[in-house]
Amino acid sequence: MNIITPWLRSYVPNIPVDDHQLAEDLTLRGIAVEGIHSLAPNSGHLFEMDITTNRVDAMNHYGIAREAATIYNLPLAPFNIKLPIGTLVDEPFSVTIAPEAKGLCGRFTVQVIRNVTIAPSAGEVKTYFEALNQKLISNAVDASNFVLLGMGHPTHAFDLDKIEGGILVRLAHKGEKLKLLDGTERTLEADDLVVADHKKALALAGVMGGWDSMITPETKNILIEAAWFDQASVRRSSRRHGLHTDASHRFERGADFNAAPIANALVAQLILQHGGAEGQLNGKLEGELIDLIDPEVAARTATRPPIDLSVKQVQRHLGTTLTPEGITSEIVAQYLTSLGCELLLHGLRDDLAVYSTRLPSWRLDLEREIDLIEEVARVYGYNRFANTLPAPGVVIAQPTQAKEAAVRTRLLALGFSEAVSSTFAGQSDADLFYQPANLGAPYLDSEMWASSERRPHSSSPQATVPMENPLSEEASLLRPSLIPGMVTMLAHNLNRDVKEVRLFEQGQIFTGTIPADSTFISEVHETAQLSLGLTTASPQPTAPLQIAADAPFFELKGVIESLLSLFTLPGGPHAAIFTPEVPAWLQPGRSATALLNNRPIAYFGELIHTQKETRKLRQPLYLAQIDLAALYNLPLKKVTAHDLSRYQAVERDFSFVFADTVQWQAVSAAIHALAIPELQSLKPIEVWRDAKKYPGVYSLLLRTVFQSNDRTLREDELTDFWTRIIAALTALGGTIRDGANETSK
């Protein structure tokens, strides 16, 4: 947004620095000035500002002036509102907030002005607008825009004679039509909040006014509206109808509940002052300001409970300053009072003040003591703190630090690069990638995943966590899975012609608990997870039994097995088994689930083809989601080293025919269950299948290696080993393949 210094300095006349130093001082306090442009000679400068989304109070000249007054310890000029007494009326203008709009419209103010002359704006409105390159329309419309740029609260002026019956703030009727000021006609939904009269909708609340009640050169009587609308309601309507206006930008981020009557009065004052005959007012006020207030909304915005602030805590958190006196109780009180807080001495702690701090209505971003401490640090200036190292013992390693380091080191060694994605996700991604029971919960089969009735929804005991004030629909939730972020990062690389990508991310996912007697989340849970992402344009087999197209899947499987090998698994190193049932975001037949104690520890495989087409991906993506929380509950395996054997190793091949239902895990587990200490290696060499000639079976050639650390193995020992292995495989239903050529070396 743009700010001009003449307007800014009108609120703080005695700023002791020039505009360039002012811009630097504001930037150091988090109110960033990204560009400075000279206006007409000796007319000041225009600041290009970058205001963060949580500081809606600073998205106007008065808000920036408040920051300047705080920095330089100067008084901030109050709004000079001088309105004449309105003419008496027998019955006030009718204004009603419908019951279904309760909570969505927390405050609604109305002022009627009659006998107005619509004319071009003059005076400071014209001067400031020309400096800002702001379009001038008419005195009534410009007054509303002037107040928005000046003190930050949206208002709207209606042609009173086009309002039938009175004002009714209500929800729209589904399918109701409304022509807006931009000339477009919108079809409204049932949850769109509108300002209406007794017959029709007049405006999309908090977003844009309507065409049929707009101010025209023929307008004689005006109704000025200034209100407080719910953030989520405005955002929903704004996104649905593709409208982003100056008003919606502010309402979506949390407007000042107490600003509505002030803004209304300022607009009325400007209209009365501009357009009338010389020395006369432009119209007459009718009646007093009508001000409807919802006490529940007021309680959670303008009259929030005070926060206790200890100066001792301020000093502890902020540390040593470059000045000897440091941050004193007086400095804390000065800064916070100037920012709009009301401080009451609540007591002493170590001879330092403890204040009960009442928060200003325009700072909804202040919620805790640490927020106030941050404000003190910001205004004091981060550049005025000494560079110091933490005291011994202050930094404490987390219990999982060694395990995180082990996982990170192993993945880096396997050729993966660490990445960090957004902590937020959209609803569509959450619907696809969020497991209702989460990893580590009882296993869900593919039929359960395929049923839409089993998918997560808002009434689930473990629900997704919506943001109170999201930046966009694509970032409306705290992420319930790392997979959407991983998909985005892989797609980002592919779209820039990076075709070989291997990424991993260790991070937290978020879910919420909804009590049985409530529809709101009572507690938010964080769970550690790991996501892996792999894509390649030219997959290369890494084992003799692989085909090129399957290589990425088996690479992911190998990575998961390698990570599991870092931990002492319950049931031994081969406790993990793999099953083909997978969640809905993985392609059936090209994905699997790793189970540990019959509970999912990881899902992995190829992203489902429909998502590849929807996201216009140039090549397949292979993804894995691993439950780090469950993995970190296991102890790290202690690394041990053994001397290499000096005695000869003996290889023996076994060729068996098995039913298709017998998986490799069963074969491996059966052989390892024999507990032959001399068995050093077991691996499949060849799988052969002829579905037409030998349906339902396959042939497996596996190789074993035996070796002792203290002797040369005798023939009778080897014969015993081989006999036991043949018996174990036969017990699985296997038969020795006819004509098998078994050799030993």
Side-chain angles (χ1 to χ4, degrees):
M1 64 170 294
N2 294 334
I3 295 291
I4 55 174
T5 57
W7 197 349
L8 174 65
R9 289 177 181 270
S10 70
Y11 296 127
V12 190
N14 300 316
I15 295 177
V17 297
D18 61 21
D19 288 350
H20 289 273
Q21 185 62 48
L22 172 61
E24 183 176 346
D25 291 341
L26 287 170
T27 302
L28 287 172
R29 271 73 179 184
I31 309 297
V33 180
E34 294 195 327
I36 305 176
H37 307 280
S38 297
L39 300 175
N42 301 319
S43 298
H45 294 81
L46 181 145
F47 289 170
E48 289 184 13
M49 311 292 297
D50 181 18
I51 308 299
T52 54
T53 56
N54 66 315
R55 292 300 308 275
V56 64
D57 66 291
M59 296 178 182
N60 55 82
H61 285 77
Y62 198 76
I64 302 296
R66 183 185 294 113
E67 292 289 324
T70 304
I71 294 170
Y72 304 115
N73 193 22
L74 296 172
L76 178 66
F79 292 114
N80 185 20
I81 301 174
K82 295 181 180 179
L83 289 177
I85 298 175
T87 59
L88 297 178
V89 291
D90 295 333
E91 185 176 347
F93 188 83
S94 173
V95 181
T96 307
I97 300 176
E100 72 268 16
K102 180 177 174 59
L104 303 180
C105 178
R107 190 165 196 171
F108 199 88
T109 67
V110 162
Q111 180 67 66
V112 173
I113 307 180
R114 293 192 179 273
N115 300 321
V116 172
T117 299
I118 302 300
S121 295
E124 63 180 7
V125 175
K126 180 179 180 181
T127 301
Y128 289 165
F129 274 30
E130 288 176 346
L132 287 165
N133 290 321
Q134 177 79 20
K135 182 180 179 181
L136 289 161
I137 301 173
S138 68
N139 53 351
V141 177
D142 294 340
S144 181
N145 292 333
F146 186 86
V147 170
L148 177 66
L149 296 174
M151 59 88 67
H153 195 83
T155 60
H156 188 68
F158 296 91
D159 188 325
L160 181 63
D161 296 324
K162 297 176 182 177
I163 298 176
E164 300 179 72
I167 290 292
L168 174 64
V169 183
R170 59 171 172 83
L171 292 178
H173 309 304
K174 184 173 177 60
E176 185 176 6
K177 305 291 185 180
L178 174 61
K179 187 176 181 181
L180 298 175
L181 287 174
D182 62 0
T184 62
E185 185 176 73
R186 306 288 172 151
T187 301
L188 305 180
E189 295 293 333
D191 60 347
D192 283 326
L193 186 68
V194 296
V195 178
D197 61 19
H198 292 176
K199 292 188 177 181
K200 61 185 180 299
L202 301 174
L204 191 58
V207 181
M208 187 179 289
W211 181 275
D212 294 334
S213 59
M214 69 177 177
I215 302 298
T216 66
E218 291 74 32
T219 297
K220 295 298 180 184
N221 303 306
I222 290 176
L223 182 141
I224 304 169
E225 166 262 310
W228 182 97
F229 297 116
D230 176 67
Q231 298 167 246
S233 175
V234 173
R235 183 184 309 110
R236 190 162 50 243
S237 295
S238 174
R239 298 296 186 273
R240 175 183 294 125
H241 298 289
L243 296 169
H244 183 80
T245 63
D246 289 335
S248 68
H249 186 80
R250 287 157 175 81
F251 278 124
E252 288 179 24
R253 287 154 179 78
D256 179 3
F257 186 87
N258 288 340
I262 300 172
N264 198 313
L266 287 172
V267 173
Q269 180 172 268
L270 283 171
I271 293 175
L272 291 172
Q273 290 175 348
H274 298 92
E278 186 175 351
Q280 296 183 2
L281 294 178
N282 180 25
K284 293 183 179 180
L285 293 183
E286 179 178 278
E288 297 180 348
L289 178 76
I290 300 171
D291 189 359
L292 303 184
I293 295 177
D294 185 333
E296 294 183 6
V297 177
R300 69 171 188 262
T301 55
T303 58
R304 291 169 290 164
I307 298 174
D308 284 347
L309 173 65
S310 167
V311 177
K312 181 70 174 180
Q313 284 292 90
V314 176
Q315 294 179 347
R316 186 181 73 83
H317 279 284
L318 301 185
T320 307
T321 66
L322 296 177
T323 55
E325 64 273 12
I327 296 178
T328 63
S329 299
E330 292 74 18
I331 288 177
V332 171
Q334 173 195 321
Y335 289 166
L336 295 182
T337 300
S338 187
L339 289 173
C341 298
E342 297 178 17
L343 273 65
L344 176 66
L345 186 61
H346 192 57
L348 296 175
R349 179 180 175 187
D350 296 338
D351 296 326
L352 293 171
V354 177
Y355 294 111
S356 178
T357 309
R358 187 171 297 279
L359 304 171
S361 59
W362 56 84
R363 290 298 301 273
L364 297 181
D365 58 315
L366 302 180
E367 298 178 341
R368 304 170 297 166
E369 181 183 44
I370 194 64
D371 296 330
L372 298 176
I373 294 173
E374 182 181 352
E375 287 299 287
V376 173
R378 183 179 65 81
V379 177
Y380 187 80
Y382 292 110
N383 57 320
R384 297 174 63 190
F385 289 97
N387 295 324
T388 57
L389 293 173
V394 172
V395 179
I396 301 174
Q398 294 296 317
T400 59
Q401 182 184 28
K403 297 173 183 178
E404 290 178 9
V407 169
R408 179 178 290 106
T409 301
R410 178 60 57 88
L411 289 170
L412 292 173
L414 291 171
F416 285 74
S417 299
E418 187 166 13
V420 178
S421 65
S422 172
T423 313
F424 308 113
Q427 186 63 55
S428 59
D429 282 341
D431 289 341
L432 177 62
F433 295 109
Y434 169 50
Q435 275 80 272
N438 286 327
L439 288 175
Y443 183 59
L444 302 175
D445 61 26
S446 56
E447 293 183 0
M448 179 178 290
W449 274 105
S451 171
S452 60
E453 296 180 357
R454 310 274 185 149
R455 289 291 187 86
H457 50 82
S458 60
S459 61
S460 172
Q462 290 292 324
T464 53
V465 182
M467 295 294 295
E468 184 176 331
N469 187 20
L471 301 178
S472 65
E473 290 295 330
E474 293 73 25
S476 59
L477 305 172
L478 287 175
R479 62 185 181 192
S481 169
L482 298 183
I483 296 299
M486 181 57 67
V487 172
T488 299
M489 292 187 292
L490 292 175
H492 180 86
N493 280 273
L494 287 179
N495 292 336
R496 285 152 182 80
D497 293 327
V498 182
K499 299 178 181 179
E500 296 283 336
V501 188
R502 286 169 175 79
L503 301 175
F504 75 92
E505 179 180 10
Q506 296 186 80
Q508 302 289 323
I509 64 167
F510 304 87
T511 56
T513 298
I514 300 180
D517 58 348
S518 175
T519 58
F520 297 98
I521 291 174
S522 63
E523 187 177 1
V524 176
H525 310 281
E526 297 186 32
T527 307
Q529 283 200 350
L530 168 69
S531 66
L532 305 176
L534 184 160
T535 184
T536 176
S538 54
Q540 299 295 325
T542 58
L545 302 183
Q546 292 178 5
I547 61 175
D550 294 336
F553 168 80
F554 285 107
E555 181 178 349
L556 271 186
K557 180 175 182 288
V559 171
I560 292 171
E561 291 175 325
S562 180
L563 292 176
L564 293 177
S565 71
L566 295 171
F567 298 86
T568 302
L569 305 182
H574 303 281
I577 60 174
F578 297 87
T579 178
E581 286 80 18
V582 293
W585 49 272
L586 290 173
Q587 180 66 27
R590 302 188 65 80
S591 52
T593 297
L595 300 178
L596 192 60
N597 285 343
N598 205 36
R599 297 169 70 87
I601 194 73
Y603 302 119
F604 65 98
E606 184 180 345
L607 180 66
I608 192 167
H609 292 168
T610 54
Q611 281 294 305
K612 178 188 173 186
E613 295 167 1
T614 300
R615 298 171 186 265
K616 299 180 181 179
L617 300 172
R618 301 179 182 180
Q619 58 195 49
L621 303 187
Y622 293 84
L623 306 162
Q625 178 174 284
I626 302 167
D627 184 9
L628 283 186
L631 206 57
Y632 287 165
N633 286 332
L634 304 175
L636 276 175
K637 186 182 296 182
K638 293 183 178 180
V639 178
T640 58
H642 300 282
D643 292 334
L644 295 176
S645 175
R646 297 177 295 167
Y647 301 95
Q648 182 179 2
V650 179
E651 288 185 357
R652 177 66 185 264
D653 293 346
F654 297 85
S655 185
F656 268 75
V657 176
F658 290 103
D660 285 342
T661 56
V662 179
Q663 299 182 1
W664 168 250
Q665 293 99 321
V667 174
S668 176
I671 295 177
H672 284 291
L674 299 174
I676 301 173
E678 290 80 8
L679 179 62
Q680 303 297 321
S681 173
L682 171 67
K683 60 183 178 180
I685 300 300
E686 180 183 272
V687 175
W688 180 81
R689 177 182 282 107
D690 188 337
K692 292 184 179 180
K693 190 174 181 180
Y694 303 104
V697 297
Y698 67 94
S699 176
L700 172 66
L701 176 64
L702 60 89
R703 177 163 296 163
T704 57
V705 177
F706 300 90
Q707 188 177 30
S708 173
N709 290 324
D710 55 12
R711 68 188 187 283
T712 300
L713 294 174
R714 302 189 308 274
E715 186 64 28
D716 59 327
E717 291 179 298
L718 294 171
T719 300
D720 176 63
F721 299 157
W722 302 335
T723 302
R724 291 165 62 189
I725 290 175
I726 291 172
L729 297 181
T730 302
L732 287 177
T735 58
I736 298 177
R737 192 173 69 188
D738 293 338
N741 182 21
E742 300 169 2
T743 61
S744 61
K745 300 180 182 178

